[in-house]
């Protein structure tokens, strides 16, 4: 065993011990999920290949951990080719462990917050090889002031506005830019999410306009790279150089970095037009089609996020035992895995005929009135308060126990699925039950609601038509997570093509000329601005008009 191999074996053992001393919540808070050694070596090796072979490496890892990338670098570069190496690590224990482990190698490790570090002004001191697996800390774990500081810094350094929904890894990528030497290379091991979601726009803007984006490799989400963190990962390679107008980017997918299952060159123009980069390389960019979409027929909302389902959702029996007042209880559907069929029947009182029979505790009375008027409910709130009232969603509601308004919807769609034969299920709901955020709720727009009211049988036809939405187009619109989990946000479900719904609705008696024109007008009026939608045989340009549909 070489000295470096011995140190690497020691590092892996120390990493395991340090991970074991932290709870999952603590590790989430600082995004502490180490890169497996083999993956670290292949990221470093692939990035080194992008530098001229004579280059003396100036290395930076701004989220160092115990140093998986640095260790790999030492295994690949001999000391004359390594000019200097620097790292940042916010966690003292990780930092001290790494400093001790690597002190003889000349590493300059700062036990500090990288986002607060001063950017070197001397160009010769700037790193030409930046490798990082940045902390994947979701936005709601970022303190408001910290978030604002990060946004201001990125705006100041790059002129890019970052969405408040961005995770810490986005700020790491953008803030590191100022650190890089001209023509320096970076490799970022990041969640693939940025390629598809709204907040990823800032990263995509940066990658297309401020650097030469060289390659993105996306691992197969079924092959989770980090045993302990369920994220689907990608590696992004870039060079700090202004992009050429005809820039092309190598997109690869599956297999390994060295031997991907598929790959394709994608032009920057294609990337500018396509919202969802995870299409590449397996599929071509989507054509802007002139079809109707689900959002033309429905207002789509995510189900209720209670912030503490275990406390706010209970069986009828439990609510009775706790003496909770009926006026604060609303029927709510059980999760899709508890639905025996995709049709929810209702009792006379509107409750769903499901097993279990659940209710949502939803009270809008202020605390003093609950205390005076409903003692058992007050006792229950007092019991759950220590555990629940301080949770993120509860702190954003007044009073903390009030729930969002989500009337019962006649159609629902499952929100998170695995890509099986029929991943997304549409549910036909006859009950007055609301639903939690494991569902998306589809509320017919006024013209569709009128048609449904006029013909009770139509509801079933619409449901059957919904179930004919092609699974692959739905998966295409959604986003993919580690473990092959797919999610569809309301806006994404709204974009799913739905020409076949136009076949169902116009078969009504109301589709005589008068209704047809009413229907056509409604489609045009309610649809998304500036998009073209097929109405019968005609294709009409959408008027540009903002409209906020009623909840
Ligand atoms: C995803 S881990 C990567 C660790 C290591 N580079 C690897 O690949 O195994 C991210 C590391 O960044 C550290 N970290 C989190 N926030 C940081 C910050 N603001 N500045 C510096 N390090 C930070 C965490 O403690 C964690 O060790």
């Amino acid at each position: 065993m070489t000295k470096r191999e011995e140190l690497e074996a020691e590092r892996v053992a120390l990493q395991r011990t340090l991970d074991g001393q932290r709870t999952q919540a603590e590790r989430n808070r600082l995004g502490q999920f180490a890169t497996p050694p083999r993956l670290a070596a292949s990221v470093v090796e692939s990035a080194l290949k992008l530098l001229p072979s004579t280059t003396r490496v100036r290395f930076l890892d701004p989220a160092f951990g115990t140093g998986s990338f640095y260790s790999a670098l030492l295994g690949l570069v001999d000391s004359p080719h390594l000019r200097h190496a620097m790292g940042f690590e916010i966690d003292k224990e990780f930092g001290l462990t790494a400093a001790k482990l690597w002190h003889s190698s000349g590493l300059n490790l700062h036990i500090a917050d990288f986002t607060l570090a001063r950017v070197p002004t001397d160009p010769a001191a700037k790193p030409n090889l930046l490798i990082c697996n940045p902390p994947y800390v979701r936005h709601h774990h970022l303190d408001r002031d910290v978030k604002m500081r990060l946004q201001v810094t990125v705006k100041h350094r790059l002129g890019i506005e970052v969405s408040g929904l961005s995770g810490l890894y986005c700020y790491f990528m953008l803030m590191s830019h100022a650190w890089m030497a001209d023509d320096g290379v970076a490799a970022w091991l990041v969640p693939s999410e940025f390629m598809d979601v709204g907040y990823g726009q800032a990263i995509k803007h940066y990658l297309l306009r401020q650097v030469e984006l060289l390659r993105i490799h996306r691992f197969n989400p079924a092959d989770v790279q980090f045993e302990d963190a369920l994220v689907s990962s990608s590696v992004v390679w870039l060079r700090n150089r202004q992009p050429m107008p005809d820039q092309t980017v190598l997109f690869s997918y599956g297999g390994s970095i060295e031997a991907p299952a598929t790959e394709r060159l994608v032009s920057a123009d294609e990337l500018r037009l396509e919202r969802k980069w995870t299409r590449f390389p397996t599929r071509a960019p989507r054509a802007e089609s002139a079809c109707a979409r689900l959002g033309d027929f429905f207002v789509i909302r995510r189900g209720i996020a209670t912030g503490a389902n275990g406390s706010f959702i209970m069986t009828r029996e439990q609510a009775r035992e706790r003496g909770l007042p009926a006026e604060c209880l609303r029927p709510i559907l059980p999760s899709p895995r508890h639905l025996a069929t995709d049709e929810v029947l209702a009792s006379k009182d509107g409750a769903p005929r499901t097993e279990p029979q659940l209710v949502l505790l939803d009270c809008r009375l202020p605390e003093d009135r609950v205390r005076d008027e409903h003692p058992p409910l007050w006792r229950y709130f007092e019991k759950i308060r220590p555990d629940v009232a301080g949770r993120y969603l509860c702190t954003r509601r007044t009073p903390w126990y009030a729930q969002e308004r989500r009337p019962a919807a006649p159609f629902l769609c499952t929100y998170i699925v695995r890509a099986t034969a029929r991943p997304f299920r549409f549910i036909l709901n006859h009950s007055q039950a609301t639903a939690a955020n494991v569902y998306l709720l589809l509320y017919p727009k006024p013209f569709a609601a009128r048609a449904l009211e006029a013909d009770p049988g139509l509801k079933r036809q619409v449901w059957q038509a919904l179930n004919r939405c092609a699974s692959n187009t739905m998966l295409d619109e959604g986003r993919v997570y580690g473990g092959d989990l797919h999610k569809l946000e309301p806006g994404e479900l709204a974009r799913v093509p739905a020409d076949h719904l136009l076949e169902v609705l116009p078969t009504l008696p109301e589709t005589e000329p008068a209704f047809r024109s009413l229907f056509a007008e409604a489609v045009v009026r309610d649809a998304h601005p500036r998009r073209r939608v097929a109405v019968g045989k005609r294709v009409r340009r959408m008027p540009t008009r903002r409209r906020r549909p009623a909840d």
Side-chain angles (χ1 to χ4, degrees):
M1 237 192 209
T2 64
K3 173 91 178 114
R4 206 284 307 180
E5 285 165 349
E6 275 174 25
L7 284 173
E8 170 62 1
E10 197 181 338
R11 184 194 71 77
V12 171
L14 288 167
Q15 179 78 51
R16 204 167 300 132
T17 309
L18 289 169
D19 286 346
Q21 289 165 352
R22 285 155 176 74
T23 63
Q24 189 73 14
E26 284 165 339
R27 292 174 67 193
N28 281 340
R29 200 173 51 78
L30 285 177
Q32 292 177 323
F33 298 96
T35 312
R38 262 213 349 251
L39 179 57
S42 75
V43 172
V44 175
E45 190 174 12
S46 58
L48 277 171
K49 284 186 186 151
L50 299 169
L51 286 173
S53 57
T54 52
T55 304
R56 290 190 69 205
V57 172
R58 301 189 301 274
F59 172 82
L60 170 66
D61 179 349
F64 197 83
T66 56
S68 47
F69 293 125
Y70 181 58
S71 176
L73 180 75
L74 294 182
L76 289 162
V77 174
D78 46 18
S79 39
H81 281 100
L82 183 57
R83 176 111 167 262
H84 67 72
M86 196 189 329
F88 285 85
E89 173 53 54
I90 201 168
D91 183 308
K92 212 166 164 185
E93 275 186 89
F94 270 112
L96 290 173
T97 304
K100 207 164 139 204
L101 193 64
W102 302 114
H103 80 278
S104 59
S105 70
L107 169 72
N108 178 9
L109 183 64
H110 301 264
I111 303 178
D113 183 340
F114 171 68
T115 67
L116 289 170
R118 287 256 303 273
V119 180
T121 44
D122 174 10
K126 291 194 171 190
N128 55 14
L129 181 68
L130 191 157
I131 313 272
C132 189
N133 169 6
Y136 181 49
V137 180
R138 289 172 183 274
H139 80 96
H140 44 262
H141 290 306
L142 296 177
D143 188 83
R144 229 177 55 189
D145 296 341
V146 171
K147 208 186 267 187
M148 231 145 80
R149 169 175 63 76
L150 297 172
Q151 286 174 317
V152 168
T153 311
V154 172
K155 176 83 185 161
H156 174 71
R157 288 190 190 165
L158 296 174
I160 294 177
E161 308 257 2
V162 184
S163 151
L165 300 178
S166 309
L168 184 56
Y169 78 96
C170 299
Y171 297 101
F172 258 69
M173 281 180 92
L174 298 168
M175 290 175 89
S176 296
H177 182 76
W179 285 74
M180 290 180 68
D182 288 346
D183 293 335
V185 165
W188 289 94
L189 177 56
V190 285
S192 305
E193 207 173 284
F194 84 89
M195 291 200 259
D196 291 349
V197 299
Y199 75 71
Q201 204 48 41
I203 303 285
K204 290 193 268 191
H205 177 99
Y206 165 69
L207 294 175
L208 289 176
R209 290 177 179 79
Q210 311 216 357
V211 290
E212 212 177 68
L213 174 59
L214 302 169
R215 178 179 173 191
I216 299 184
H217 176 81
R218 184 161 66 94
F219 295 99
N220 181 341
D223 160 26
V224 178
Q225 290 297 308
F226 306 91
E227 293 157 19
D228 42 9
L230 205 65
V231 289
S232 99
S233 325
S234 289
V235 181
V236 179
W237 291 263
L238 58 93
R239 183 176 280 122
N240 184 16
R241 185 188 285 172
Q242 270 302 305
M244 304 296 280
D246 57 352
Q247 179 77 19
T248 53
V249 182
L250 180 66
F251 272 73
S252 53
Y253 173 75
S256 63
I257 290 174
E258 299 77 17
T262 45
E263 59 185 23
R264 179 161 102 77
L265 280 173
V266 182
S267 74
D269 283 342
E270 282 176 291
L271 292 174
R272 268 188 275 276
L273 289 175
E274 174 58 61
R275 262 181 308 107
K276 298 210 175 264
W277 287 10
T278 57
R279 289 187 69 74
F280 305 119
T282 41
R283 276 161 288 179
R286 287 171 294 187
E288 246 315 287
S289 61
C291 63
R293 294 179 190 263
L294 287 181
D296 296 330
F297 304 93
F298 302 100
V299 173
I300 302 173
R301 292 277 182 268
R302 206 53 203 272
I304 291 169
T306 66
N309 286 353
S311 300
F312 292 119
I313 299 178
M314 60 196 84
T315 61
R316 279 177 179 276
E317 190 57 29
Q318 285 167 326
R320 222 182 344 261
E321 281 163 16
R322 290 167 180 157
L324 304 180
E327 63 265 37
C328 295
L329 300 174
R330 292 161 56 199
I332 187 165
L333 293 178
S335 78
R337 67 174 190 283
H338 287 123
L339 288 187
T341 69
D342 290 352
E343 182 168 5
V344 174
L345 302 175
S347 310
K348 278 203 182 96
D349 62 356
R353 298 221 309 250
T354 54
E355 202 48 60
Q357 290 235 332
L358 299 178
V359 286
L360 170 75
L361 175 56
D362 178 16
C363 172
R364 278 156 199 276
L365 295 175
E367 297 204 15
D368 52 347
R369 284 194 56 196
V370 176
R371 191 177 45 230
D372 296 347
E373 295 170 25
H374 301 288
L377 178 59
W378 178 248
R379 277 197 298 280
Y380 183 67
F381 283 153
E382 283 301 277
K383 187 171 150 221
I384 64 171
R385 183 195 299 270
D387 189 33
V388 172
R391 294 198 189 178
Y392 179 79
L393 290 175
C394 299
T395 58
R396 273 154 181 75
R397 302 194 294 240
T398 314
W400 57 271
Y401 41 76
Q403 304 295 338
E404 300 161 281
R405 293 224 182 269
R406 290 285 185 281
F411 311 104
L412 299 99
C413 179
T414 47
Y415 166 66
I416 180 159
V417 297
R418 284 184 197 282
T420 51
R422 200 179 136 239
F424 293 98
R425 290 160 63 191
F426 285 95
I427 314 293
L428 176 60
N429 178 29
H430 300 285
S431 78
Q432 286 309 309
T434 183
N437 55 2
V438 280
Y439 294 98
L440 297 174
L441 291 84
L442 286 77
Y443 299 103
K445 289 191 167 180
F447 76 93
R450 279 197 296 278
L452 285 160
E453 227 175 271
D455 176 5
L458 183 62
K459 195 168 164 186
R460 182 170 298 279
Q461 291 177 43
V462 171
W463 173 50
Q464 284 158 351
L466 283 169
N467 275 313
R468 289 195 349 250
C469 288
S471 297
N472 57 344
T473 50
M474 294 182 73
L475 291 171
D476 259 14
E477 283 298 340
R479 53 196 69 187
V480 63
Y481 291 81
D484 208 17
L485 288 177
H486 294 254
K487 280 187 193 173
L488 259 181
E489 294 299 338
E492 292 164 341
L493 182 59
R495 281 194 291 270
V496 167
D499 269 348
H500 54 289
L501 275 175
L502 285 166
E503 289 161 24
V504 177
L505 286 159
T507 58
L508 291 166
E510 288 92 330
T511 51
E512 295 316 309
F515 178 76
R516 190 177 273 282
S517 78
L518 168 72
F519 173 75
E521 281 308 306
V523 172
V524 170
R525 191 160 17 89
D526 290 343
H528 195 272
R530 283 201 306 274
R531 202 163 48 63
R532 287 149 74 90
V533 66
V535 179
K537 283 201 163 67
R538 289 162 299 153
V539 174
R540 298 169 63 154
R541 164 87 49 190
M542 310 306 298
T544 305
R545 177 166 168 239
R546 294 199 130 204
R547 181 174 178 278
R548 198 183 170 285
D551 196 342

